[in-house]
């Protein structure tokens, strides 16, 4: 009923999802549909904290939205923070070197981001490409979590498999969204994606939405970013994944750079 009147409704579910998710019909073109197994459920729980923590954050978000409609309206109408002209390039170590910007044929689609970074890195013959889409604020049709945002153009890179991987990101093990893509006219690719929202890292888009709601109503800020790394491969995608994980252990903290950008707006 609330959604019918234009409200944005967030439903809090258990780690295994509401039982109604098993009821059809299903959309054939949903880009996020994956088969949920026990490993994925455990990964999601580890990624977003305990079920109690998720419930507390969700309850806070619902309470704030319920009691603060005027404040939420004010935040929506406030002037957009000045977006950065450019995002800083993260440094690397452990034999990796900074390559060219915007050189890769791989181009994630985040059309409404306020700032973007496309940067290549090399270690010997291995190349890893970093993409960051930064949002100074959330607006209608300019949102971090949107079906308009894609890992790649499906015409040239079609998704063959996807799910979650537990990897080390800035010293902490978190599940990231993982996708293996088959190239059409270019090399195949493996990619990892996660979000930076309210100072936290998550790959769960529903939890990211909750964090955005709480951050917006509590601090008045809703800066966020999508972070994606990708590497090409010909046949052995498992070796390509090892390259991504080696890069993650060698790149300087990206979150501190994003926090600096956010503080200076």
């Amino acid at each position: 009923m609330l959604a019918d009147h234009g409200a944005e409704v967030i439903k809090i579910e258990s780690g295994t999802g509401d039982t109604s998710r098993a009821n059809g019909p299903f959309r054939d073109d949903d880009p996020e549909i994956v088969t949920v197994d026990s490993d994925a459920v455990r990964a999601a729980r580890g990624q977003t904290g305990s079920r109690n923590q998720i419930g507390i954050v969700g309850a806070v978000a619902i309470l704030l939205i319920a009691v603060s409609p005027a404040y939420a309206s004010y935040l929506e109408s406030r002037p957009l923070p000045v977006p950065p002209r450019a995002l800083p390039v993260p440094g690397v170590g452990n034999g990796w070197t900074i390559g060219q910007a915007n050189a890769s044929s791989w181009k994630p689609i985040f059309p409404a981001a306020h700032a973007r970074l496309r940067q290549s890195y090399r270690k010997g013959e291995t190349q890893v490409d970093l993409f960051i889409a930064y949002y100074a604020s959330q607006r209608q049709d300019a949102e971090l979590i949107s079906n308009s945002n894609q890992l790649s153009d499906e015409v040239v890179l079609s998704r063959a498999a996807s799910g979650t991987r537990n990897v080390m990101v800035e010293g902490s093990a978190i599940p990231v969204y993982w996708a293996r893509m088959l190239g059409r006219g270019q090399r195949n690719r493996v990619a990892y994606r996660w979000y930076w929202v309210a100072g936290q890292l998550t790959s769960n888009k529903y939890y990211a939405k909750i964090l955005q709601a709480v951050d917006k109503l509590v601090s008045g800020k809703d800066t966020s970013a999508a972070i994606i790394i990708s590497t090409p491969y010909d046949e052995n995608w498992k070796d390509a994944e090892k390259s991504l994980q080696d890069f993650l252990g060698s790149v300087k903290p990206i979150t501190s750079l994003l926090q600096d950008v956010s503080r200076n707006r």
Side-chain angles (χ1 to χ4, degrees), residues 6 26 48 54 56 73 83 102 106 117 128 157 188 194 204 211 224 229 241 250 253:
F26 303 105
T48 60
I54 297 173
I56 291 171
S73 177
N102 304 317
W106 170 65
L117 173 71
V128 167
L157 279 169
N188 305 324
W194 63 99
N204 187 303
L211 289 175
S224 58
I229 60 172
E241 272 207 85
S250 306

Side-chain angles (χ1 to χ4, degrees), residues 6-253:
E8 181 174 356
V9 179
I10 300 175
K11 181 178 181 180
I12 310 300
E13 302 182 18
S14 69
T16 55
D18 190 276
T19 55
S20 63
R21 288 183 175 273
N23 301 331
F26 303 105
R27 282 180 48 190
D28 294 330
D29 61 343
D30 189 338
E32 293 291 341
I33 288 179
V34 295
T35 300
V36 178
D37 56 23
S38 58
D39 290 337
V41 171
R42 284 194 293 271
R45 288 176 179 168
Q47 161 191 325
T48 60
S50 69
R51 187 179 300 177
N52 289 338
Q53 288 174 321
I54 297 173
I56 291 171
V57 173
V60 171
I62 293 171
L63 177 63
L64 289 170
I65 292 171
V67 303
S68 306
Y71 185 47
S73 177
Y74 156 72
L75 290 174
E76 189 64 28
S77 61
R78 67 199 161 123
L80 179 70
V82 179
R85 293 184 178 180
L87 296 175
V89 176
V92 284
N94 194 29
W96 288 90
T97 58
I98 298 175
Q100 292 182 310
N102 304 317
S104 173
S105 59
W106 170 65
K107 298 178 181 179
I109 301 172
F110 283 73
H114 298 120
R116 302 175 189 82
L117 173 71
R118 288 177 55 224
Q119 181 65 54
S120 296
Y121 296 83
R122 298 197 68 87
K123 185 176 183 179
E125 297 299 316
T126 301
Q127 176 173 313
V128 167
D129 300 306
L130 168 67
F131 176 83
I132 301 176
Y134 177 88
Y135 292 80
S137 181
Q138 305 295 305
R139 290 291 190 276
Q140 185 69 31
D141 299 323
E143 300 171 296
L144 173 70
I145 309 300
S146 169
N147 285 336
S148 299
N149 302 332
Q150 302 292 334
L151 287 181
S152 65
D153 185 344
E154 288 283 337
V155 173
V156 295
L157 279 169
S158 61
R159 187 177 58 171
S162 63
T164 58
R165 290 283 192 271
N166 281 303
V167 300
M168 295 296 294
V169 178
E170 300 187 13
S172 299
I174 67 167
V176 299
Y177 176 78
W178 162 86
R180 181 164 60 87
M181 298 170 284
L182 301 180
R184 298 169 181 167
Q186 61 176 275
R187 298 175 69 188
N188 305 324
R189 279 191 172 265
V190 173
Y192 290 163
R193 182 200 66 203
W194 63 99
Y195 303 117
W196 172 75
V197 182
Q200 298 190 42
L201 300 179
T202 180
S203 62
N204 187 303
K205 62 182 181 180
Y206 304 108
Y207 186 58
K209 276 283 193 181
I210 294 174
L211 289 175
Q212 284 179 329
V214 173
D215 194 34
K216 185 173 184 178
L217 292 171
V218 172
S219 71
K221 290 186 176 182
D222 52 0
T223 53
S224 58
I227 305 168
I228 311 173
I229 60 172
S230 175
T231 189
Y233 75 93
D234 294 315
E235 295 181 359
N236 195 331
W237 59 268
K238 292 185 178 180
D239 283 348
E241 272 207 85
K242 292 178 181 177
S243 296
L244 291 181
Q245 293 165 11
D246 180 45
F247 174 79
L248 282 175
S250 306
V251 67
K252 305 302 179 183

